[in-house]
Amino acid sequence: MIKFFRQIRQQLLMENKTGKYFKYAIGEIILVVIGILIALNINNWNQSRINANEELSILRSLKAGLQKDQGDILYNTKYFSESIVDANKVILALENDVPYSDSIPVYLGRMMRPMKFLHSTSAFETLKSKGIDLIHNTELRDQIIHVFDSRYTFFLGEETRHLEELH
């Protein structure tokens, strides 16, 4: 193909048809520019597709992590409710001068057991390293940032403060 275009150029130059040669040269330049623009559009489309797949993958990871965190919170809530019931049993036994029984140490042990929030932030850390702008939905992106940078930080700080008070 290149040989074909080279022959056309040489023939136009040899026949002293510079006007046609310039038209031909401009046409060739336009074809090259069009080819470059098509290649850039294909590359941009491919990059957008890759980014969309990556965004979806991170959002799925965030969802899975939040679901695990929710499960842990529900477990802790259930445990704390049971601890309150056990504490009330101990208080009732003390108020009513109930004689010592084997159940009292069980109640005390269950109500004194420390709980820790097991949270997952790996998907959010991955998102931060890849660029938070990977999430196109601005409202969703802001909510994700709020949960992980504000809510989790506050909750973990309160948990640390509470654990320090116990010791």
Side-chain angles (χ1 to χ4, degrees), residues 95-167:
E95 287 177 343
N96 294 324
D97 286 331
V98 174
Y100 177 82
S101 70
D102 290 342
S103 59
I104 298 294
V106 172
Y107 297 145
L108 287 171
R110 286 194 309 214
M111 66 183 234
M112 301 292 282
R113 190 173 44 171
M115 292 305 302
K116 181 124 176 89
F117 174 48
L118 303 175
H119 60 287
S120 172
T121 60
S122 60
F124 182 65
E125 294 303 322
T126 300
L127 176 61
K128 285 195 315 189
S129 71
K130 291 182 183 244
I132 199 82
D133 289 337
L134 187 65
I135 307 296
H136 286 91
N137 184 323
T138 307
E139 185 178 334
L140 178 60
R141 182 175 57 228
D142 291 345
Q143 288 176 356
I144 290 168
I145 292 168
H146 179 71
V147 165
F148 286 97
D149 275 351
S150 183
R151 294 290 183 175
Y152 273 33
T153 302
F154 172 77
F155 187 75
L156 294 171
E158 287 297 305
E159 181 181 61
T160 302
R161 186 184 60 75
H162 176 71
L163 290 173
E164 286 172 357
E165 287 176 0
L166 292 176
H167 292 94

Side-chain angles (χ1 to χ4, degrees), residues 20-32:
K20 282 188 176 184
Y21 175 75
F22 283 126
K23 287 178 188 175
Y24 166 80
I26 289 172
E28 197 172 317
I29 290 170
I30 289 172
L31 281 176
V32 169

Side-chain angles (χ1 to χ4, degrees), residues 10-47:
Q10 287 175 350
Q11 184 180 359
L12 289 173
L13 283 173
M14 293 188 97
E15 293 174 3
N16 234 359
K17 296 181 179 178
T18 53
K20 282 188 176 184
Y21 175 75
F22 283 126
K23 287 178 188 175
Y24 166 80
I26 289 172
E28 197 172 317
I29 290 170
I30 289 172
L31 281 176
V32 169
V33 169
I34 289 172
I36 290 171
L37 290 174
I38 289 171
L40 284 172
N41 278 339
I42 290 171
N43 186 47
N44 288 342
W45 171 80
N46 191 39
Q47 190 61 47

Side-chain angles (χ1 to χ4, degrees), residues 14-101:
M14 293 188 97
E15 293 174 3
N16 234 359
K17 296 181 179 178
T18 53
K20 282 188 176 184
Y21 175 75
F22 283 126
K23 287 178 188 175
Y24 166 80
I26 289 172
E28 197 172 317
I29 290 170
I30 289 172
L31 281 176
V32 169
V33 169
I34 289 172
I36 290 171
L37 290 174
I38 289 171
L40 284 172
N41 278 339
I42 290 171
N43 186 47
N44 288 342
W45 171 80
N46 191 39
Q47 190 61 47
S48 294
R49 186 182 58 79
I50 290 169
N51 288 347
N53 287 340
E54 200 168 25
E55 176 184 16
L56 188 58
S57 173
I58 287 178
L59 287 173
R60 284 181 179 147
S61 295
L62 284 167
K63 180 182 177 185
L66 288 170
Q67 287 172 330
K68 286 179 185 176
D69 293 351
Q70 182 182 29
D72 187 63
I73 289 170
L74 291 174
Y75 172 80
N76 287 342
T77 302
K78 180 182 174 216
Y79 167 76
F80 282 125
S81 296
E82 291 170 357
S83 294
I84 291 170
V85 169
D86 290 337
N88 286 334
K89 289 177 184 177
V90 171
I91 291 170
L92 188 63
L94 290 171
E95 287 177 343
N96 294 324
D97 286 331
V98 174
Y100 177 82
S101 70

